[in-house]
Amino acid sequence: EDQVTQSPEALRLQEGESSSLNCSYTVSGLRGLFWYRQDPGKGPEFLFTLYSAGEEKEKERLKATLTKKESFLHITAPKPEDSATYLCAVIGSGTYKYIFGTGTRLKVLA
Amino acid sequence: DAGVIQSPRHEVTEMGQEVTLRCKPISGHDYLFWYRQTMMRGLELLIYFNNNVPIDDSGMPEDRFSAKMPNASFSTLKIQPSEPRDSAVYFCASTSLSSYNEQFFGPGTRLTVL
């Protein structure tokens, strides 16, 4: 069964304190792994798509990496505005059935 | 483009009543998804359509739930009869192959069933 597990469930960081969020996945024939950001009361907002092991994508203070079993979202020198829930999702071969993890709630303190 | 539009944004109803949630996808997108989000279970895919045709409804919890997409610019998710355990935020999202599978989510409908 396709599955996505994210850790930690919650993370508190001081402003400027870098860290990483983990997304472990099990899927038949990975076609894509996605990272989304969700602010309270809003829908998820797309950040990155990764397609194959070894791939990396960057956007401002965020960097996403992918291996055959997991993905990391690295946050460098975070700011309070980076506080949000970060969601990971995968789709397998022959389907558009996105499987989401339960997310990591990130709080960055000033 | 205005993005994915959902209505209503909030719905409060009593157990046993029929509830209809509405979604307008982004113009040109040929995939539409309905999700339910709760604290306990996170974001769950209920059903998705391709070119207005339901492709996978395995996430629909039971027969009380039904979804339709009569044309490329409109979809509904109906719950009849509603139950308190249906209380959640329901999201609609759309995408296309030319969007490289990036889903665009609507603002969601917060449903409370009393």
Side-chain angles (χ1 to χ4, degrees):
Chain A
E1 181 182 345
D2 297 345
Q3 192 171 344
V4 174
T5 303
Q6 291 189 246
S7 62
E9 288 188 11
L11 182 63
R12 292 167 68 93
L13 299 174
Q14 291 293 325
E15 184 173 3
E17 180 186 1
S18 301
S19 188
S20 297
L21 313 182
N22 177 263
C23 171
S24 298
Y25 64 91
T26 303
V27 66
S28 300
L30 179 72
R31 285 206 298 128
L33 183 141
F34 308 85
W35 283 98
Y36 286 82
R37 169 190 171 128
Q38 186 174 23
D39 293 299
K42 296 188 176 182
E45 180 182 347
F46 173 80
L47 292 173
F48 303 109
T49 306
L50 302 168
Y51 293 103
S52 57
E55 190 174 359
E56 299 182 352
K57 295 272 181 73
E58 284 189 68
K59 180 179 180 180
E60 296 181 355
R61 295 176 293 281
L62 300 177
K63 179 180 178 181
T65 62
L66 180 64
T67 72
K68 288 187 178 180
K69 293 184 178 181
E70 58 190 351
S71 176
F72 292 93
L73 184 65
H74 306 278
I75 304 176
T76 301
K79 298 182 178 181
E81 54 261 42
D82 295 322
S83 297
T85 296
Y86 291 85
L87 298 168
C88 173
V90 299
I91 52 174
S93 59
T95 179
Y96 270 83
K97 186 173 183 178
Y98 290 74
I99 307 298
F100 276 83
T102 52
T104 293
R105 296 189 309 278
L106 174 66
K107 179 73 172 177
V108 181
L109 304 172
Chain B
D1 200 314
V4 175
I5 298 172
Q6 291 187 247
S7 64
R9 293 294 312 278
H10 302 274
E11 177 81 32
V12 180
T13 189
E14 292 191 350
M15 182 174 61
Q17 297 297 307
E18 178 180 296
V19 175
T20 299
L21 311 182
R22 297 172 176 80
C23 175
K24 176 179 169 57
I26 291 173
S27 177
H29 283 187
D30 52 359
Y31 286 87
L32 183 138
F33 306 80
W34 281 102
Y35 291 89
R36 177 172 67 178
Q37 188 173 44
T38 61
M39 287 294 293
M40 290 296 295
R41 300 174 68 88
L43 197 61
E44 301 174 281
L45 179 64
L46 300 176
I47 185 171
Y48 78 90
F49 295 82
N50 177 222
N51 291 322
N52 314 335
V53 176
I55 302 301
D56 188 329
D57 65 355
S58 59
M60 296 286 261
E62 49 198 275
D63 292 344
R64 297 185 297 107
F65 286 69
S66 63
K68 294 182 179 180
M69 191 165 186
N71 57 63
S73 60
F74 184 66
S75 178
T76 60
L77 178 67
K78 185 176 293 186
I79 308 172
Q80 166 63 20
S82 58
E83 297 183 3
R85 59 192 168 120
D86 302 330
S87 298
V89 181
Y90 291 80
F91 288 103
C92 176
S94 68
T95 190
S96 66
L97 290 179
S98 62
S99 297
Y100 299 97
N101 303 321
E102 171 190 344
Q103 289 186 88
F104 294 81
F105 282 80
T109 295
R110 180 173 295 277
L111 173 65
T112 302
V113 183
L114 303 173

